[in-house]
């Protein structure tokens, strides 16, 4: 009976002493080196450059209109000058609204894509942890949620490679 009790206590001790598998990732490195994020940023940058070219073109065209209006104003009555000035102000306001609208669209698209990428990375890390028997995968960042971790527990590169491989399949 004593042997059975001793064996029971020994088994209980061994089971309770099992260590949990814990790893961590550098959030900033993981997100910034994720190929889908790099590709998304390149697409957004192209949109921004196109937007800037269109905006510059519209502003140059409008500046030409202002220059023409200044020449015309020299030959106009005061009432004509006021009407011309009002028309130019209206055009400038429409131009500004158009530029702001497009700028907001690009910003919203960028934010939406970033949110989607972050969610995708979180889901991937969660699935990776489950598949590989991790009890916890912590995220480190500049705020210091993981102040120290053994290099062997740093999963950043491993998960990044798996994440990029998954993205290439898509």
């Amino acid at each position: 009976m004593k042997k059975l009790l001793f064996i029971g206590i020994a088994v209980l001790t061994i089971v309770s002493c099992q260590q949990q598998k814990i790893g961590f990732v550098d959030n900033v490195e993981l997100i910034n080196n994720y190929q889908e994020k790099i590709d998304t940023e390149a697409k957004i940058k192209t949109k921004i450059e196109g937007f800037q070219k269109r905006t510059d073109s519209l502003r140059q065209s409008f500046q030409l209109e202002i220059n023409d209006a200044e020449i015309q104003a020299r030959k106009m009555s005061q009432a004509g000058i006021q009407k011309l000035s009002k028309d130019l102000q209206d055009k400038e306001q429409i131009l500004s609204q158009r530029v702001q609208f497009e700028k907001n669209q690009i910003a919203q698209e960028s934010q939406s894509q970033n949110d989607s990428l972050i969610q995708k990375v979180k889901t991937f890390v969660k699935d990776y942890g489950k598949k590989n028997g991790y009890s916890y995968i912590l995220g480190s960042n500049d705020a210091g949620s993981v102040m120290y971790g053994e290099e062997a527990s740093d999963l950043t590169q491993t998960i990044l490679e798996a994440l990029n491989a998954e993205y290439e399949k898509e």
Side-chain angles (χ1 to χ4, degrees):
M1 185 71 171
K2 277 186 168 180
K3 287 183 181 181
L4 193 56
L5 183 60
F6 179 73
I7 291 173
I9 291 174
V11 169
L12 215 71
T13 304
I14 291 172
V15 170
S16 67
C17 289
Q18 287 182 342
Q19 290 187 341
Q20 296 178 335
K21 194 171 176 183
I22 298 173
F24 70 94
V25 295
D26 181 333
N27 294 337
V28 175
E29 184 179 339
L30 186 62
I31 294 291
N32 287 341
N33 294 321
Y34 178 30
Q35 190 61 47
E36 186 173 356
K37 182 177 191 288
I38 294 168
D39 293 347
T40 299
E41 283 180 343
K43 289 176 188 174
I44 293 292
K45 183 178 179 185
T46 301
K47 282 187 178 193
I48 290 171
E49 289 169 354
F51 163 73
Q52 288 173 336
K53 286 179 184 176
R54 285 188 303 279
T55 300
D56 290 346
S57 176
L58 288 170
R59 290 191 194 284
Q60 287 175 348
S61 176
F62 184 67
Q63 187 59 48
L64 290 174
E65 277 189 62
I66 290 173
N67 294 344
D68 288 344
E70 288 174 351
I71 293 170
Q72 291 175 2
R74 294 180 189 149
K75 303 172 191 171
M76 298 178 126
S77 66
Q78 188 63 30
I81 292 173
Q82 286 178 345
K83 182 180 180 335
L84 185 59
S85 177
K86 172 130 175 52
D87 289 345
L88 287 174
Q89 286 175 350
D90 291 346
K91 279 187 176 185
E92 183 179 27
Q93 185 177 10
I94 290 169
L95 176 64
S96 293
Q97 288 173 346
R98 182 176 169 185
V99 166
Q100 189 61 43
F101 177 76
E102 194 169 344
K103 193 185 285 188
N104 288 344
Q105 279 188 312
I106 291 171
Q108 284 178 339
E109 180 180 349
S110 176
Q111 185 63 47
S112 173
Q113 289 178 351
N114 282 339
D115 291 346
S116 175
L117 285 171
I118 289 170
Q119 188 57 46
K120 194 179 272 190
V121 169
K122 282 181 176 180
T123 301
F124 186 88
V125 170
K126 181 179 178 180
D127 291 343
Y128 180 90
K130 286 180 182 178
K131 287 178 189 173
N132 292 286
Y134 283 89
S135 301
Y136 300 98
I137 296 180
L138 309 172
S140 71
N141 56 36
D142 292 336
S145 59
V146 175
M147 301 293 283
Y148 169 78
E150 290 179 353
E151 208 169 298
S153 298
D154 187 351
L155 302 173
T156 306
Q157 202 56 41
T158 305
I159 290 178
L160 180 62
E161 289 168 5
L163 190 59
N164 283 334
E166 181 79 19
Y167 172 64
E168 288 176 17
K169 287 180 189 177
E170 293 176 3

